[in-house]
Amino acid sequence: MSTGTRAAPGRSSAQPVLRRLIVFTLLFALVLIGAGGLTGLLGRALNAGDVLVADDVTGLARSLAFTLVGGPLAALLWWATWRRVESERSSTAWGLYVAGIYAVSLITAATALLGTTASLIGGDPERWSSGLARGLVWTGVLLWHHWMWRHRTRGPLALRDLPRVGGYVFGLVLAVGGAYSALAGLFGAAVEGSASAGAIGVPWWRASLSALVWAAGGTGLWFAYWVRGGGRHLRTALSNVALVLLGVFGAGLLTLGGLGTVLFVLLRLAFDRTDPLPALLDPLAPALAAAGIGAPVWVYHLRAAATRAEGTALAGRLVTSGVSLAAAAAGVGVIVNALLASLASPVVGADPRTLLLGGISSLAVGGPVWWSAWRPTAAPGTGERSRRRVYLVAVFGISALVALITLLVLGYLIFEFLLADVGGAALIERVRAPLGLLLATGGTAAYHFSVWRQDRAAGGNAPADRRAIGSVILVAGAGAAAEPLAELIGGITGAGVTLWRRADPAPDAAVPSAEDLARALDGVVGERVLVIVGAGRGIQVIPLAG
């Protein structure tokens, strides 16, 4: 079997790579130039009340040059490239070009159209023509490259899933941001109505309605790429990373931050009325919006991660544990800070109640979530122990580094106090903040170091996992059946799968069932395993050395 072609004598193998890089970079730039020029001309045409040239001769000349020079050059270069791209569709340069211009056109078109609609609804109709023109032109560029991306015989094979992943990530960001702004405006109006007699000015619902436009547009994009486009069925490394980072880590931060702030406001209303009521209620509306939007997004993606390979499900749990651990540790540090401040308050004159309530809020929100995600009383399995070592080392390293820096700061403050001979209460006031941080980070580092040692000792005594596979290299045909194979193997082994497509014209074999793949992979051990499917030989599984 051959997975590549031998370079002709006297011809450098780097020459085709360099040629593709230059050609696709030029094509990328020319498409941007042509689209920019066409946007300017269409914006002037839509402004029916303005003279076409007016006083902006320079802008008109630039738009004409970009359109009439850059546009034809882009079309000519694309035509020449499209004729031969079928033999180069597996090149990384082709995949990068399609993914890059797809992302630019999607972001530009969506933001322009949604921004124009939101501004019209919000009572700001100025410069609507430029936004509409930009949206229409870049929508055309998006549809053009969507057709190329999905082409049966010339669509890119490298980075093929990048537009789909980027599409649902961008849609989710727009949906969450728009929904957060809309809810914050709604809750803000309700809170202000309960705290004051009313307000005079622009109606509050205009901003919320404009934000709903962004939320609806982002939801539509997310649905198109995640549900209809099949993004939820992807099991590639890129899709798993996007799921964990955005859906679990990002939404977790949003949710815990919102819940902690809501609890803090409620505790202040009950025990700390030192500030006026409007000042106390001011952070409540955005916090409610953050918790109300972040929580369902967080729970949904945690469940989605749980349905994937064991490594992805565990990554979701560990990320949740890390986010909640940071909140709980910060709460402990702030509580220690507040308790020390209460000793110095008779001299300094400060009331530590606000600080204490903030620490209690952070600990009350982060602690239970950390306990539920980390499960300190449950015995982890052998596979979980081996996979969570990186997390333990990372948490220990970060906590130890922060504790070391805090210890240096604490030592500096103590020596400065001794040399300056300041009053006794001033020492507590100076060291209470770093001391609280030191206790929190030092305790976190010590706990995770002890867990790491326990896992290491248990891993040395436990029998080896006979099904442990580090990574899989799948060699399959060039057809569409290769991607389901990669997803099946990733789900069975829990390992990352790298897909290599055959260069020879061997016909695609039927997709094996999950049972056949599990049977072929049963008992296989190796850091890297080669799986070959097709060519009438069934499934070949070969552990690789080194």
Side-chain angles (χ1 to χ4, degrees), residues 26 40 99 108 120 123 138-139 150 254 270 358 363 368 468 505 522:
L26 284 175
T108 306
L120 291 175
W138 283 100
T139 298
R150 303 294 293 177
L254 189 64
L363 179 60
D522 184 32

Side-chain angles (χ1 to χ4, degrees), residues 32-49:
L32 293 181
I33 291 171
L38 190 58
T39 297
L41 293 180
L42 184 58
R44 291 171 180 270
L46 290 175
N47 245 334

Side-chain angles (χ1 to χ4, degrees), residues 148-251:
M148 286 192 284
W149 170 49
R150 303 294 293 177
H151 199 278
R152 287 185 64 256
T153 59
R154 302 185 185 185
L157 298 178
L159 305 176
R160 183 175 179 83
D161 297 327
L162 187 55
R164 183 182 292 112
V165 174
Y168 72 70
V169 165
F170 178 62
L172 183 61
V173 170
L174 287 184
V176 171
Y180 167 79
S181 299
L183 275 183
L186 179 62
F187 291 145
V191 170
E192 289 176 4
S194 63
S196 62
I200 301 175
V202 179
W204 65 268
W205 52 266
R206 280 186 177 272
S208 295
L209 192 58
S210 299
L212 280 179
V213 173
W214 291 95
T219 303
L221 287 175
W222 174 83
F223 184 84
Y225 288 96
W226 178 259
V227 180
R228 295 294 300 274
R232 58 180 175 176
H233 300 301
L234 288 178
R235 297 297 185 269
T236 60
L238 177 64
S239 176
N240 293 336
V241 169
L243 175 70
V244 172
L245 283 183
L246 184 68
V248 179
F249 179 73

Side-chain angles (χ1 to χ4, degrees), residues 371-432:
W371 188 277
S372 175
W374 180 247
R375 303 170 188 172
T377 59
T382 304
E384 181 176 340
R385 279 198 179 95
S386 62
R387 288 186 174 96
R388 74 179 189 178
R389 287 177 185 172
V390 175
Y391 167 81
L392 290 171
V393 172
V395 173
F396 166 74
I398 295 174
S399 303
L401 179 61
V402 175
L404 176 61
I405 296 174
T406 307
L407 184 60
L408 293 175
V409 174
L410 186 63
Y412 164 77
L413 293 175
I414 292 176
F415 284 120
E416 186 185 37
F417 162 78
L418 295 175
L419 294 175
D421 193 18
V422 188
L427 176 61
I428 299 178
E429 181 65 22
R430 290 165 65 87
V431 303
R432 60 186 177 87

